[in-house]
Amino acid sequence: MFFVTFSHQGRDRVGILNTQKDKVLDLLAAQSDLAERGKLSKVDGLYVDMISSIRFGELFIEQTKKVLQLLDEEHFHSPRWLLMEDIQLKAPIPRPLKNIFCLGKNYADHAIEMGGVESIPKDPMVFSKAPTTVIGPNEGILSHHKVTSELDYEGELALVIGKKGRGISKEDAWDYVFGYTIINDVTARDLQQRHKQFLIGKSLDTSCPMGPYLVYREAISNPSQLKIETRVNGEIRQSSSTDQFIFNIPTIIETLSAGMTLEPGDIIATGTPSGVGKGFHPPKFLQPGDVIEIAIEGIGVLRNQVIEDV
């Protein structure tokens, strides 16, 4: 299942893609229609927004399957199926409740391009991005030319936590994953260097494009072997696979949850491979007009363009 948050007629909605990925079902409206016809028991509070829906756990998935099944069985042409061109896709979680957890230097080749072999971490390196950084697919990334001249891209697989937990073991970690999406960890390299830490350089407005979909875990057979590719203006800059992680997903979850509670809707970006702009000689930093496309196998393509910050 491919879940989305979308805007239609001025309202944000939770939806699910059809198989062809050319339509989105407004789940709240479809549930209400079926309940009014006596075909389904409505779950109050479900489908209000993505985080609220994830908090319902398995009930979220079960109810969604029932909605789809009933529409299919009755051959009921629901007016709640909307064409993609009639909606605006948003980030799957448009406003996270917490900072986004991010893994630094989780691919050896990226660690080497940024600081040599000695910079490969022995333990997970974690930083965060502010919730205000998030934008959706096809939204503009501000150039922030007044505060940075070294804006960079980082294509990453991100996972979304599905249930609350602390002290989660590696063996149990997969049970806490709801699904997967794509993140562009846009970074101001000069600010990162100047302030000797990552928060400011990672948290400029619009510096966390996310989407286009939130893919339920059942649809990804092996998240540890997904191809990832980043293109800038059509040029392949990053090309790797999640099998190149230094620290795998269970290790990441175990590390973060050791003494710190993870909650439904928490987002974890798993790191970026080599090929970032700063790694080139000379560097290839982002400029207004540049189009960044991040493709991850089984998820889709996240596309955004850098725009002038006036």
Side-chain angles (χ1 to χ4, degrees):
M1 287 185 280
F2 286 63
F3 292 103
V4 296
T5 295
F6 68 96
S7 179
H8 180 65
Q9 296 180 343
R11 299 183 67 181
D12 285 357
R13 298 286 194 173
V14 174
I16 189 168
L17 293 182
N18 66 349
T19 304
Q20 295 76 26
K21 297 185 175 63
D22 60 357
K23 292 181 181 178
V24 170
L25 180 66
D26 183 333
L27 285 168
L28 180 62
Q31 176 188 239
S32 297
D33 289 348
L34 290 166
E36 288 175 4
R37 296 169 59 220
K39 300 294 184 179
L40 183 74
S41 295
K42 184 177 180 181
V43 179
D44 291 333
L46 186 59
Y47 307 131
V48 172
D49 58 53
M50 192 67 75
I51 292 178
S52 297
S53 297
I54 293 170
R55 284 175 175 159
F56 276 92
E58 288 302 317
L59 182 58
F60 175 27
I61 302 303
E62 292 168 4
Q63 185 79 345
T64 301
K65 288 179 178 178
K66 284 181 183 178
V67 168
L68 294 173
Q69 180 183 353
L70 287 169
L71 293 181
D72 183 60
E73 285 178 354
E74 298 189 359
H75 305 288
F76 175 56
H77 178 67
S78 173
R80 306 309 183 176
W81 281 107
L82 304 168
L83 294 172
M84 292 294 285
E85 55 260 36
D86 294 333
I87 66 165
Q88 178 189 355
L89 282 180
K90 312 284 282 188
I93 300 177
R95 181 59 186 260
L97 297 180
K98 298 180 185 174
N99 279 13
I100 297 146
F101 298 105
C102 302
L103 268 288
K105 298 182 179 179
N106 198 28
Y107 291 77
D109 55 3
H110 174 57
I112 291 170
E113 76 174 346
M114 297 300 282
V117 175
E118 62 275 10
S119 71
I120 297 176
K122 294 181 174 58
D123 295 288
M125 179 179 177
V126 183
F127 59 91
S128 71
K129 297 175 78 77
T132 48
T133 59
V134 173
I135 58 172
N138 299 311
E139 291 191 63
I141 301 169
L142 296 174
S143 65
H144 290 290
H145 66 274
K146 296 178 182 178
V147 295
T148 180
S149 60
E150 297 184 358
L151 201 66
D152 209 347
Y153 54 86
E154 293 189 2
E156 307 195 14
L157 172 71
L159 58 95
V160 176
I161 294 297
K163 63 179 182 178
K164 186 175 182 178
R166 180 165 60 90
I168 303 166
S169 68
K170 292 179 186 178
E171 292 73 24
D172 294 335
W174 293 113
D175 293 336
Y176 288 80
V177 177
F178 175 82
Y180 305 90
T181 189
I182 304 171
I183 274 180
N184 185 352
D185 179 17
V186 177
T187 306
R189 300 292 183 195
D190 42 3
L191 296 184
Q192 188 178 23
Q193 176 64 29
R194 182 184 309 158
H195 296 286
K196 308 304 178 186
Q197 49 75 48
F198 289 3
L199 184 64
I200 295 177
K202 296 283 189 176
S203 291
L204 299 180
D205 289 352
T206 72
S207 68
C208 190
M210 182 194 305
Y213 320 122
L214 174 53
V215 183
Y216 185 55
R217 63 188 182 198
E218 287 182 355
I220 304 293
S221 59
N222 192 349
S224 299
Q225 289 187 329
L226 299 178
K227 294 178 182 177
I228 178 169
E229 181 177 278
T230 301
R231 300 182 293 269
V232 179
N233 302 326
E235 176 191 0
I236 296 175
R237 298 279 184 87
Q238 296 180 290
S239 183
S240 189
S241 169
T242 57
D243 63 10
Q244 297 300 302
F245 283 168
I246 298 172
F247 307 105
N248 62 21
I249 289 171
T251 300
I252 294 168
I253 291 175
E254 182 181 70
T255 300
L256 287 173
S257 70
M260 178 167 55
T261 300
L262 297 180
E263 299 176 299
D266 282 353
I267 302 162
I268 304 172
T270 57
T272 199
S274 64
V276 299
K278 186 175 175 61
F280 287 90
H281 302 283
K284 296 182 177 182
F285 294 123
L286 295 172
Q287 303 297 326
D290 285 348
V291 175
I292 308 99
E293 296 171 299
I294 302 167
I296 297 184
E297 180 182 7
I299 299 179
V301 180
L302 173 63
R303 181 187 183 278
N304 298 88
Q305 185 171 25
V306 181
I307 60 175
E308 193 72 61
D309 185 4
V310 296

